[in-house]
């Protein structure tokens, strides 16, 4: 029996000696009673003086709380810690082969003894960090909300798609850049949470619609992928197409599917989208350029009213570059004083074709570009709206106009214009501090509020409650309000009484046809009668002939404006014109 025990003990000793892990038996104060060769191999490089008497002292520089951890363990026996990572700072390693990270396990055997297990976890940590880095890299290319590839992921996929070798024929790829037409309105009215839910549903529709297309016409390797490349922007990547003509059909199908109502709680939302399409054949192309070109085509589709797609053409990029250059120049135009006003007289209509020249003037902004020369508002106002400069430009126009108006009053006295008209943009009407800005400009220039008429388009006036409230706040300042281009927007004569305006300006498209179209004459007459019943004045825009002036006067229009009287002219020329007309 004794021989069997000796053999078992010998086997245990051999196991401990050959074990690939460090095994240390120690007392509760850390004094080492027994350790195997692997323990010596791992601990010796960590000992400052080569002394392996006390386990806790050896590990003190690397795990200073170890003794306290064991002391605070109150059960009579049990696992104190398992796989605890002990990092060995490079400055503390006394041998190049010393482990960088140890894995420590501590077991309490009884009230006086502990068993420690140590492993070199350096390679394991490196592997874990590699896996984590890989996961983080993947996560960095994934959109958290939709679980689609994000912009970085889309560009990586697009790069692989555009750089691969292509067959000589029947091997095309394409990109569709899809964008919400009015997503901000959803967030503003229903909140970001609803907006996020809509984004998720849009992503799912794109996925399911592409899956429903089945095998795309082309090679057996044809693919269709969707990515979210912006807040409300998606990219659809198509590869291996036999015929580029199929892309337009796919774009139309996607837009049709996306336009179906979305049910979010109690809300049923109908959304429209704009898309840009770029098709690439065997010619290699930069992924960023391809995505940019698709976005350019999308922007044009949106500018055309949205709910449609446009196929990219090279001219679009050239136009975008020119537009981008103009945007950069426009940012400096204000501070350089390149913007200036022209003024077009608004005359009072009198009998016999006569008119009152001093009824008023309308300020019209122009841009004296250092290279292009004079740039009209049609060319730069849209750019200013897109890049957020329209508010600053509007303030500058109002400031210059008020200053000129006060100067005319000082120089011309009774011959000076009695009213100054200045247009307001959509962006300005959306500013919470618009009234404060107008009030500051009036005070600084010495302009009387009731001499200023702020003009908004008919379509803008009908936008909703927020616009109505802003108009009422402007009225409270004492300024007058005019409804510009009446007859081309969304309101009607029946709703005119809902708008807090003082003047209705009848659009030139109606005035041009008077004398040849009874229908338009009746519309002008009806507008004048309704406006007069509401205490509003009327102005006929675009008068170019004596006949047009006579017709609109006979129908009761109070004032007229157009080339018959004067084209837009400078502030100095206004003074001369008024002096001549007096």
């Amino acid at each position: 029996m004794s021989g069997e025990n000796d053999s078992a003990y010998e086997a245990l000793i051999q196991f401990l000696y050959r074990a690939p892990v460090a095994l240390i038996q120690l007392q509760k104060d850390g004094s080492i009673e027994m350790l195997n060769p692997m323990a010596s191999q791992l601990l010796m490089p960590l000992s400052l003086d080569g002394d392996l008497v006390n386990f806790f002292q050896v590990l003190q520089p690397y795990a200073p709380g170890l003794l306290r951890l064991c002391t605070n363990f109150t059960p009579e026996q049990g696992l104190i810690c398992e796989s605890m990572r002990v990092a060995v700072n490079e400055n503390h390693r006394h041998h190049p082969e010393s482990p960088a990270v140890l894995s420590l396990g501590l077991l309490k055997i009884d009230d006086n003894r502990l068993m420690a297990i140590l492993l070199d976890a350096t390679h394991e940590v490196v592997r874990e960090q590699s896996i984590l880095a890989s996961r983080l890299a993947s996560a960095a290319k994934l959109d958290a909300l939709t679980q689609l590839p994000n912009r970085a992921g889309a560009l990586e996929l697009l790069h692989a798609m555009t750089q691969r070798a292509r067959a000589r024929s029947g091997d095309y790829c394409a990109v569709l850049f899809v964008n919400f037409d009015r997503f901000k309105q959803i967030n503003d009215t229903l909140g970001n949470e609803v907006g996020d839910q809509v984004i998720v549903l849009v992503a799912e529709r794109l996925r399911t619609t592409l899956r429903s297309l089945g095998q795309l016409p082309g090679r057996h390797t044809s693919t269709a992928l969707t990515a979210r490349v912006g807040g409300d922007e998606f990219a659809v990547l198509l590869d291996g197409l036999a015929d580029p003509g199929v892309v337009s059909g796919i774009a139309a199908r996607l837009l049709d599917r996306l336009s179906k109502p979305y049910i979010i709680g109690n809300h049923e939302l109908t959304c429209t989208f704009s898309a840009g399409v770029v098709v690439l054949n065997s010619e290699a192309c930069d992924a960023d350029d391809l995505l940019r070109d698709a976005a350019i085509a999308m922007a044009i589709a949106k500018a055309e009213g949205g709910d449609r797609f446009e196929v990219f053409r090279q001219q679009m990029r050239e136009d975008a570059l020119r537009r981008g250059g103009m945007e950069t120049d426009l940012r400096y135009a204000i501070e350089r004083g390149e913007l200036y006003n022209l003024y077009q007289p608004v005359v009072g209509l009198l009998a016999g074709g006569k008119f009152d020249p001093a009824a008023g003037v309308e300020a019209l902004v122009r841009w004296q570009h250092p290279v292009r020369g004079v740039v009209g508002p049609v060319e730069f106002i849209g750019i200013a709206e897109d890049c957020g400069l329209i508010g600053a430009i509007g303030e500058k126009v109002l400031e210059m106009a008020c200053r000129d108006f006060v100067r005319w009053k000082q120089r011309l006295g009774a011959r000076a214009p009695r009213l100054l008209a200045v247009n307001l943009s959509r962006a300005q009407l959306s500013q919470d501090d618009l009234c404060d800005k107008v009030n500051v400009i009036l005070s600084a220039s010495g302009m009387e509020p009731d001499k200023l008429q702020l003009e908004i388009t008919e379509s803008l006036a009908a936008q909703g409650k927020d616009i109505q409230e802003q108009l009422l706040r402007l009225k409270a300042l004492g300024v007058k309000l005019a409804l510009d281009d009446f007859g081309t927007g969304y309101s009607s004569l029946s709703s005119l009484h809902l708008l807090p305006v003082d003047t209705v300006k009848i659009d030139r498209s109606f005035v041009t046809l008077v004398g040849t179209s009874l229908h338009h004459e009746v519309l002008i007459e009806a507008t004048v009668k309704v406006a007069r019943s509401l205490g509003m004045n009327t102005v006929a825009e675009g008068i170019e002939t004596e006949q047009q002036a006579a017709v609109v006067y006979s129908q009761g229009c109070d004032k007229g404006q157009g080339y018959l009287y004067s084209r837009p002219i400078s502030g100095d020329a206004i003074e001369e014109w008024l002096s001549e007309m007096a």
Side-chain angles (χ1 to χ4, degrees):
M1 190 72 176
S2 175
E4 293 179 0
N5 290 338
D6 290 344
S7 297
Y9 180 75
E10 180 67 22
L12 176 61
I13 293 300
Q14 287 295 323
F15 168 73
L16 295 176
Y17 185 83
R18 297 177 183 277
V21 297
L23 300 172
I24 307 104
Q25 182 176 302
L26 57 146
Q27 297 180 6
K28 64 180 181 181
D29 64 355
S31 298
I32 297 176
E33 295 181 337
M34 181 185 70
L35 74 168
N36 67 354
M38 180 58 72
S40 298
Q41 183 178 330
L42 291 180
L43 290 177
M44 187 61 71
L46 304 183
S47 175
L48 298 177
D49 53 9
D51 186 359
L52 298 182
V53 174
N54 189 287
F55 182 72
F56 295 141
Q57 289 179 3
V58 172
L59 292 184
Q60 173 65 24
Y62 320 107
L66 196 56
L67 176 60
R68 184 172 65 255
L69 178 67
C70 296
T71 303
N72 293 339
F73 188 79
T74 56
E76 294 182 3
Q77 58 185 17
L79 188 64
I80 299 174
C81 66
E82 180 180 18
S83 300
M84 184 177 82
R85 293 290 167 83
V86 178
V88 182
N89 189 288
E90 189 174 348
N91 296 329
H92 292 158
R93 291 181 0 228
H94 310 296
H95 191 278
E97 297 182 2
S98 299
V101 182
L102 294 172
S103 177
L104 171 64
L106 274 173
L107 180 68
K108 185 176 183 181
I109 300 174
D110 54 38
D111 284 342
N112 193 50
R113 287 182 302 165
L114 305 172
M115 179 63 73
I117 302 174
L118 274 178
L119 289 170
D120 183 353
T122 304
H123 297 298
E124 179 65 19
V125 169
V126 170
R127 189 180 71 85
E128 290 174 355
Q129 290 176 340
S130 177
I131 293 173
L132 178 61
S134 177
R135 289 177 178 173
L136 289 174
S138 297
K141 297 170 185 174
L142 195 69
D143 176 56
L145 180 63
T146 63
Q147 297 304 300
L148 294 174
N150 59 15
R151 189 179 190 89
L155 286 172
E156 183 176 289
L157 293 169
L158 193 54
H159 177 77
M161 190 172 84
T162 58
Q163 298 303 315
R164 72 168 177 82
R166 295 192 172 274
R168 291 185 177 180
S169 63
D171 191 5
Y172 299 89
C173 72
V175 179
L176 279 67
F177 196 101
V178 183
N179 178 249
F180 263 93
D181 284 333
R182 281 174 284 276
F183 182 67
K184 185 176 183 298
Q185 186 176 353
I186 295 176
N187 278 337
D188 290 346
T189 57
L190 301 178
N192 291 338
E193 185 176 346
V194 172
D196 285 347
Q197 293 180 58
V198 175
I199 289 290
V200 171
L201 291 178
V202 169
E204 185 58 30
R205 281 196 192 176
L206 285 170
R207 272 188 292 236
T208 56
T209 304
L210 289 176
R211 281 199 299 266
S212 70
L213 293 173
Q215 179 66 36
L216 294 173
R219 307 178 317 138
H220 67 281
T221 55
S222 61
T223 57
L225 298 170
T226 303
R228 185 187 182 201
V229 295
D232 60 347
E233 298 170 335
F234 296 86
V236 175
L237 313 183
L238 305 172
D239 196 14
L241 304 174
D243 180 2
V246 303
V247 180
S248 293
I250 293 171
R253 183 167 178 177
L254 285 173
L255 292 185
D256 178 68
R257 183 75 183 89
L258 292 176
S259 66
K260 304 300 182 188
Y262 296 84
I263 307 300
I264 307 290
N266 296 325
H267 306 289
E268 180 176 318
L269 306 176
T270 299
C271 308
T272 60
F273 297 78
S274 298
V277 177
V278 178
V279 179
L280 182 71
N281 52 22
S282 59
E283 180 182 328
C285 181
D286 182 78
D288 286 286
D289 290 345
L290 203 58
L291 197 61
R292 179 205 59 200
D293 290 344
I296 289 172
M298 179 279 298
I300 291 174
K302 188 181 287 288
E304 293 293 327
D307 194 20
R308 56 182 294 164
F309 70 90
E310 287 285 341
V311 178
F312 176 78
R313 302 183 305 277
Q314 185 64 32
Q315 184 63 40
M316 292 180 178
R317 183 189 297 176
E318 296 170 4
D319 292 342
L321 289 173
R322 184 166 56 252
R323 182 182 177 92
M326 188 173 288
E327 177 181 327
T328 301
D329 293 344
L330 190 56
R331 292 185 180 277
Y332 295 103
I334 301 174
E335 58 189 69
R336 290 174 178 170
E338 294 172 1
L339 297 178
Y340 65 97
N341 286 344
L342 295 182
Y343 299 93
Q344 186 171 33
V346 178
V347 304
L349 297 177
L350 304 173
K354 296 181 180 180
F355 58 91
D356 174 9
V361 294
E362 179 180 0
L364 302 167
V365 65
R366 297 292 186 269
W367 176 13
Q368 183 63 52
H369 192 280
V371 176
R372 300 173 186 271
V374 177
V375 181
V378 173
E379 295 182 66
F380 71 85
I381 290 298
I383 297 174
E385 290 175 340
D386 291 343
C387 67
L389 291 174
I390 191 65
I393 291 175
E395 290 175 42
K396 185 65 176 179
V397 169
L398 180 59
E399 178 187 326
M400 293 187 297
C402 288
R403 190 170 60 242
D404 286 345
F405 187 85
V406 170
R407 186 182 74 248
W408 296 331
K409 296 290 284 186
Q410 293 170 346
R411 293 183 180 180
L412 300 176
R415 291 177 294 148
R418 295 188 292 275
L419 192 68
L420 170 66
V422 179
N423 292 288
L424 284 182
S425 68
R426 180 189 304 273
Q428 286 176 281
L429 275 176
S430 300
Q431 294 175 340
D432 293 334
D433 58 350
L434 173 62
C435 290
D436 293 335
K437 291 178 177 178
V438 171
N439 200 32
V440 167
I441 292 173
L442 289 172
S443 299
S445 63
M447 176 90 174
E448 298 173 82
D450 64 343
K451 305 301 182 184
L452 175 62
Q453 177 174 282
L454 298 176
E455 301 189 351
I456 58 172
T457 62
E458 178 190 355
S459 56
L460 183 55
Q463 287 296 306
K465 184 178 179 181
D466 291 346
I467 297 297
Q468 296 284 315
E469 291 175 351
Q470 183 78 288
L471 295 178
L472 291 173
R473 287 192 291 270
L474 289 170
K475 288 278 288 184
L477 290 179
V479 303
K480 291 181 168 58
L481 298 177
L483 193 63
D484 201 7
D485 302 332
F486 186 80
T488 62
Y490 302 107
S491 61
S492 64
L493 289 175
S494 62
S495 60
L496 195 56
H497 68 284
L498 299 175
L499 303 176
V501 298
D502 305 282
T503 297
V504 176
K505 300 187 74 173
I506 302 169
D507 188 69
R508 66 180 61 247
S509 61
F510 289 84
V511 176
T512 301
L513 294 174
V514 296
T516 60
S517 170
L518 181 60
H519 171 71
H520 285 82
E521 290 186 27
V522 170
L523 286 175
I524 292 176
E525 182 181 11
T527 300
V528 171
K529 287 182 177 179
V530 172
R532 185 169 292 172
S533 70
L534 296 172
M536 302 175 183
N537 295 316
T538 52
V539 177
E541 298 181 294
I543 299 176
E544 297 182 356
T545 67
E546 296 284 357
Q547 181 191 24
Q548 292 169 356
V551 172
V552 295
Y553 173 75
S554 67
Q555 291 170 333
C557 278
D558 302 294
K559 301 175 184 177
Q561 182 178 2
Y563 286 0
L564 175 63
Y565 308 107
S566 174
R567 292 175 176 270
I569 53 179
S570 69
D572 291 338
I574 278 288
E575 292 186 34
E576 296 176 11
W577 185 85
L578 288 168
S579 298
E580 292 173 1
M581 295 294 120

